[in-house]
Amino acid sequence: MAVIKYSRQRKAIKDFLMTRKDHPTAETVYLNVRKTYPNISLGTVYRNLTLLSDMGEIQKLHFKDGLDHFDADTRPHNHFLCTECGAVLDIDFQSDNDFHLDEQANSVFDGKITGHITYFQGICPDCCINSV
Amino acid sequence: MAVIKYSRQRKAIKDFLMTRKDHPTAETVYLNVRKTYPNISLGTVYRNLTLLSDMGEIQKLHFKDGLDHFDADTRPHNHFLCTECGAVLDIDFQSDNDFHLDEQANSVFDGKITGHITYFQGICPDCCINSV
DNA sequence: CTTTTTGCAAAACCTTTGCACAACC
DNA sequence: GGTTGTGCAAAGGTTTTGCAAAAAG
């Protein structure tokens, strides 16, 4: 597997992912891409999600629900997890301190720190409305 | 399941977890507790880890390896994941900004943020030494 | 005695993999 | 034609669950 050819299935998977701001699971990707390619298999979805992730075109994320979630936004950004409904959302917010955080952590850690991700938790907008 | 009755197995599981600064998987807990209770089953380990976690006595964590990891330290603290060997370590370090981070995030987020965890990644002390 | 917990084994679950065939260049 | 990708189905590994027996109070 030296040269990577961009199959339509792979393109469809990435295209779908780019339309979403939440972070769908493989299952969700599968169900949606199947609208366009009814014969696509779950295995193919997994293979391509892993491949895209290895190529750095998407991010593979792990949350408490134990499932893999996928994100087409590969820029460093923070995530939010709703403790009510399990939704995973982006947070478009970088603390001023974010840039210095790795250095600060390095100064108290014997190994070498190359990056970090912050996960916020709480109640998402939808659940806030519904719980009033 | 209203009243929670004491069990030695549950105590052994928590005791073991408190001796560890890394964040063992259920499998590791199982192998170690079995030294004391050779007949304990994996199912019991899982049940108790989930129960302890629900009671807030331990934390259940999810990492990229896809496995559940457990941590007897429930204070808010940050974690480090080694990209070489997969080790998960605590980082005893709180940024000055940590305390304000939730407020800052709340100001740009429609929902309600109640907390956060930062995951650092990089190369752990052991792997640094071995890769020289 | 009643309720909870255990051990065992089976089931459920998500993800990966092997293989023959199809698609691509 | 040779390589890469797919679909299908089976296998893999982790976690959960049903049930009868044991432990706890």
Side-chain angles (χ1 to χ4, degrees):
Chain A
M1 209 182 265
V3 178
I4 290 177
K5 301 178 183 177
Y6 227 91
S7 69
R8 328 170 234 187
Q9 286 90 338
R10 182 147 55 242
K11 182 174 189 322
I13 288 167
K14 182 162 182 202
D15 285 349
F16 168 69
L17 223 41
M18 288 197 296
T19 68
R20 300 277 290 225
K21 286 195 169 181
D22 59 347
H23 305 69
T25 61
E27 176 81 12
T28 303
V29 174
Y30 171 60
L31 292 174
N32 279 276
V33 173
R34 211 161 54 156
K35 293 175 187 166
T36 315
Y37 296 97
N39 293 324
I40 197 170
S41 70
L42 238 193
T44 296
V45 171
Y46 272 105
R47 266 187 298 239
N48 280 306
L49 287 170
T50 301
L51 186 56
L52 287 166
S53 165
D54 289 346
M55 297 192 298
E57 298 199 18
I58 65 174
Q59 274 190 281
K60 190 187 240 179
L61 305 167
H62 247 310
F63 297 109
K64 285 196 196 160
D65 61 8
L67 306 179
D68 289 343
H69 290 252
F70 299 88
D71 186 356
D73 187 351
T74 56
R75 298 168 307 175
H77 62 280
N78 294 320
H79 291 115
F80 170 87
L81 175 69
C82 178
T83 53
E84 296 277 316
C85 70
V88 178
L89 305 171
D90 283 337
I91 294 199
D92 289 325
F93 151 75
Q94 295 277 51
S95 163
D96 294 340
N97 209 42
D98 243 27
F99 305 105
H100 308 298
L101 200 55
D102 291 344
E103 311 167 21
Q104 290 175 7
N106 260 315
S107 66
V108 297
F109 185 69
D110 283 338
K112 181 169 189 172
I113 288 169
T114 57
H116 68 270
I117 297 182
T118 297
Y119 292 91
F120 291 91
Q121 58 180 243
I123 302 172
C124 77
D126 283 352
C127 288
C128 277
I129 293 168
N130 297 332
S131 65
V132 175
Chain B
M1 207 181 268
V3 179
I4 290 177
K5 296 188 179 182
Y6 168 92
S7 87
R8 334 171 229 193
Q9 288 90 336
R10 181 152 56 242
K11 182 176 190 320
I13 288 168
K14 179 158 185 208
D15 285 350
F16 168 71
L17 223 40
M18 288 196 297
T19 68
R20 300 278 292 227
K21 287 195 168 180
D22 60 348
H23 305 69
T25 60
E27 175 82 13
T28 304
V29 173
Y30 171 60
L31 292 175
N32 279 276
V33 173
R34 210 161 54 158
K35 293 175 186 166
T36 316
Y37 296 97
N39 293 324
I40 197 171
S41 71
L42 239 191
T44 297
V45 171
Y46 273 105
R47 268 186 296 235
N48 280 305
L49 288 171
T50 301
L51 185 56
L52 287 166
S53 165
D54 288 346
M55 295 191 300
E57 296 200 18
I58 66 175
Q59 275 190 280
K60 189 186 239 181
L61 306 167
H62 246 312
F63 297 110
K64 285 196 196 160
D65 61 7
L67 304 179
D68 289 343
H69 291 252
F70 298 88
D71 186 356
D73 187 351
T74 56
R75 297 169 309 175
H77 62 280
N78 294 319
H79 290 115
F80 170 87
L81 175 69
C82 179
T83 52
E84 298 276 315
C85 70
V88 179
L89 305 171
D90 283 338
I91 293 198
D92 289 325
F93 151 76
Q94 296 276 51
S95 163
D96 292 341
N97 210 42
D98 245 24
F99 305 104
H100 307 299
L101 202 53
D102 291 343
E103 311 167 19
Q104 289 174 8
N106 260 315
S107 66
V108 297
F109 184 69
D110 284 337
K112 181 168 189 172
I113 289 168
T114 57
H116 68 271
I117 298 182
T118 298
Y119 291 89
F120 291 92
Q121 58 180 242
I123 302 172
C124 77
D126 284 353
C127 288
C128 277
I129 292 168
N130 296 332
S131 65
V132 173

